[in-house]
Amino acid sequence: MAFDTPNGTHGAHQPARNRFEQWANQRMAERIRHKGDRRGTKLALVTVGRRTGLERVTPVRWFPAGGGARYIVASANGAPQNPAWYYNIAGHPDQVRIEFAGRRIDVVAEQLHGAERAAAWAQITATARGFERYERITDREIPVIVLRPREA
C-alpha cells in the first residue's frame, strides 16, 4: 500500500529539534538496540534518509500485529506533519529494519488503509489511550504501519 497520508493544517506543536533532544533520542535508541526497554514496548526503527541516503535510527513504540509482525504509529505526538521517519520509509521501503535487545530484523513496511487501519487503530488505542488524544488534536489521519519480517 502507498505511503500517501498528507500533512494536516493543525495539531500539537513539535518541540524544536535541538542538540540535546537529538542526543537523548540517540541514547534511547542505542539502549533499545542493545538492551531493549523495560516493558518491551519500544524498538529502534532503522531507515534510510530519503534525501541524504544516510541511515537514521528512531525509537518508536510498537504493538503486536500477529505472526511476528508489529504495528507502529506515525503520530508525531499529534503534530500536523508526519514524522520524518514516515517519509524515509516511503522513500526506501525495502531498506527498513528494526532492532531491540541485540536483535536485528529486516522488515517489509506497509501502510494500512481502510478497514485494516481501523481494526489496527482500535487495537492500538485500546492498549495506549494517549494515541486517541493525538487523533483529536490533529486534522490528519495518523498513519499506521505494519512491519512484517522479511523472508530470507
Side-chain angles (χ1 to χ4, degrees):
M1 290 276 187
F3 288 83
D4 57 1
T5 301
N7 287 324
T9 59
H10 67 273
H13 292 285
Q14 284 284 37
R17 298 277 314 182
N18 59 46
R19 287 183 192 263
F20 176 75
E21 183 181 329
Q22 290 173 346
W23 175 82
N25 269 345
Q26 279 307 117
R27 295 278 300 178
M28 180 188 296
E30 287 303 314
R31 188 180 75 239
I32 292 167
R33 285 172 110 170
H34 299 291
K35 296 182 181 180
D37 71 311
R38 289 184 190 127
R39 293 186 288 178
T41 60
K42 293 190 176 89
L43 57 82
L45 177 69
V46 183
T47 60
V48 173
R50 69 181 164 137
R51 289 183 290 201
T52 65
L54 300 174
E55 189 172 273
R56 303 294 185 196
V57 182
T58 308
V60 295
R61 183 160 182 190
W62 68 274
F63 303 88
R70 293 167 173 84
Y71 296 126
I72 58 173
V73 181
S75 65
N77 294 327
Q81 297 86 23
N82 294 310
W85 61 259
Y86 173 83
Y87 296 108
N88 292 345
I89 290 175
H92 302 281
D94 58 332
Q95 297 178 36
V96 180
R97 75 175 183 271
I98 58 175
E99 297 183 14
F100 55 94
R103 296 181 61 196
R104 294 171 59 124
I105 302 170
D106 292 327
V107 296
V108 175
E110 177 185 344
Q111 182 173 342
L112 301 178
H113 296 281
E116 281 185 302
R117 184 208 175 270
W121 187 252
Q123 176 189 332
I124 290 163
T125 56
T127 304
R129 297 241 179 249
F131 286 94
E132 290 176 333
R133 178 179 168 272
Y134 300 153
E135 185 177 45
R136 283 194 309 271
I137 61 178
T138 187
D139 61 342
R140 70 181 167 94
E141 181 177 79
I142 296 175
V144 176
I145 291 103
V146 63
L147 304 173
R148 292 185 177 89
R150 193 174 303 146
E151 296 184 20

